[in-house]
Amino acid sequence: MTAAHAVSIAVTFTWLGMVIAISFLEAPLKFRAPGVTVPLGLGIGRLVFRALNVTEMVWAAVLVAGLLIEGPPTRVVVAGATAIAVLVVQLVGVRPRLTRRSDRVLAGEDVPRSHAHYVYIGLEVVKVVALLATGVLLLGV
């Protein structure tokens, strides 16, 4: 196993673990903690997801570099590219809408629930599956 291959595996599973921990554990649980108001939870969530997304962009770049160096089978590239494409859609298409809504909530407006949250969660599920597939396929190469 080459260094690029090992790094690609490590980055993929680290990225996967971060998404599961933050998106599916931290995000929903913070609103159940005593004393956490919606504005406080949104403020925390914005900081946490900004940090997660920056880290995801780094992991995506490292994964791309590793895949370019290693030249794995097409199925590995497709799985990895799917995870990266989902991240791009989240960052460019969904996060700005969520940010605008949270800006309004933090400004004191009473706004209806956002369907963009459901889109983001659906994309997170797709990204988790793509990252899991990428990691498993890399282990088998």
Side-chain angles (χ1 to χ4, degrees):
M1 178 181 299
T2 67
H5 191 86
V7 168
S8 295
I9 292 169
V11 162
T12 300
F13 284 114
T14 300
W15 183 2
L16 173 63
M18 291 179 71
V19 170
I20 290 171
I22 291 173
S23 294
F24 297 103
L25 291 175
E26 183 277 337
L29 289 177
K30 79 173 154 272
F31 289 101
R32 294 182 183 181
V36 175
T37 62
V38 170
L40 179 60
L42 285 176
I44 293 167
R46 286 167 67 142
L47 290 172
V48 170
F49 274 91
R50 186 177 304 126
L52 173 64
N53 292 151
V54 167
T55 305
E56 287 185 287
M57 289 186 287
V58 171
W59 293 147
V62 173
L63 180 60
V64 167
L67 295 179
L68 287 173
I69 291 168
E70 188 66 26
T74 302
R75 64 187 181 276
V76 176
V77 174
V78 168
T82 300
I84 293 167
V86 167
L87 175 62
V88 169
V89 169
Q90 287 176 307
L91 295 178
V92 175
V94 183
R95 279 293 305 272
R97 293 169 67 191
L98 292 173
T99 299
R100 284 191 298 276
R101 182 184 182 279
S102 65
D103 285 344
R104 292 175 60 198
V105 171
L106 292 171
E109 286 186 49
D110 186 24
V111 294
R113 288 198 58 76
S114 169
H115 295 292
H117 275 98
Y118 298 119
V119 172
Y120 195 90
I121 292 165
L123 290 169
E124 286 289 75
V125 170
V126 173
K127 186 167 52 181
V128 162
V129 170
L131 288 169
L132 182 60
T134 303
V136 169
L137 289 169
L138 282 167
L139 286 172
V141 174

